[in-house]
């Protein structure tokens, strides 16, 4: 597998990590402003969060395009690393970093979903998206 391709994937993963950190931060702020009944700030933050989610989707698309040029076996390995799964042993430093970044992104995603779930059930109760 070409290191230059893996390096490009790692760069995109770093961008994704930054987006996910921002989404988590904004989600926390949404909860804080909801506690204060500041609907104007909540609406503004939700718009900002959507912008970050759109950026994250674009990054995912870039990663899929990069993976598309790999062989099937290479693509399966890289997709596993991106999800932070250890199904395939990383084949070098860049591969290890991709898997590490994937694990970090999964952790941020889980925390963000937990925060969002708490906010949603607090607001909507049994009508929450998560019920």
């Amino acid at each position: 597998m070409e290191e230059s391709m893996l390096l490009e994937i790692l760069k995109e993963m770093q961008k994704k990590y930054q987006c996910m950190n921002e989404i988590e931060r904004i989600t926390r702020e949404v909860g804080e402003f909801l506690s204060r009944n500041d609907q104007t700030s909540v609406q503004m933050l939700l718009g900002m969060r959507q912008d970050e989610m759109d950026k994250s989707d674009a990054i995912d698309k870039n990663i899929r395009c990069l993976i598309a040029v790999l062989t099937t076996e290479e693509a399966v390995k890289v997709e596993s690393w991106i999800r932070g799964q250890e199904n395939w042993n990383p084949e070098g430093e860049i591969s290890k970093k991709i898997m590490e970044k994937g694990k970090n992104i999964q952790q941020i995603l889980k925390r963000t979903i937990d925060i969002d779930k708490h906010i949603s059930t607090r607001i909507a109760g049994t009508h929450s998206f998560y019920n």
Side-chain angles (χ1 to χ4, degrees), residues 69-104:
V69 301
L70 300 174
T71 67
T72 303
E73 183 181 331
E74 291 172 336
V76 168
K77 288 179 183 180
V78 171
E79 287 170 351
S80 172
W81 298 333
I82 286 172
R83 289 188 301 274
Q85 298 171 341
E86 297 183 20
N87 303 349
W88 303 92
N89 287 329
E91 300 167 350
E93 282 305 307
I94 298 174
S95 300
K96 286 178 188 173
K97 288 179 182 179
I98 289 172
M99 190 168 64
E100 239 175 72
K101 196 61 66 181
K103 286 179 181 180
N104 293 339

Side-chain angles (χ1 to χ4, degrees), residues 52-74:
E52 288 297 321
M53 289 176 171
D54 292 343
K55 258 193 246 183
S56 178
D57 289 344
I59 292 166
D60 285 341
K61 184 177 179 182
N62 291 345
I63 292 170
R64 282 192 305 274
C65 287
L66 291 168
I67 290 173
V69 301
L70 300 174
T71 67
T72 303
E73 183 181 331
E74 291 172 336

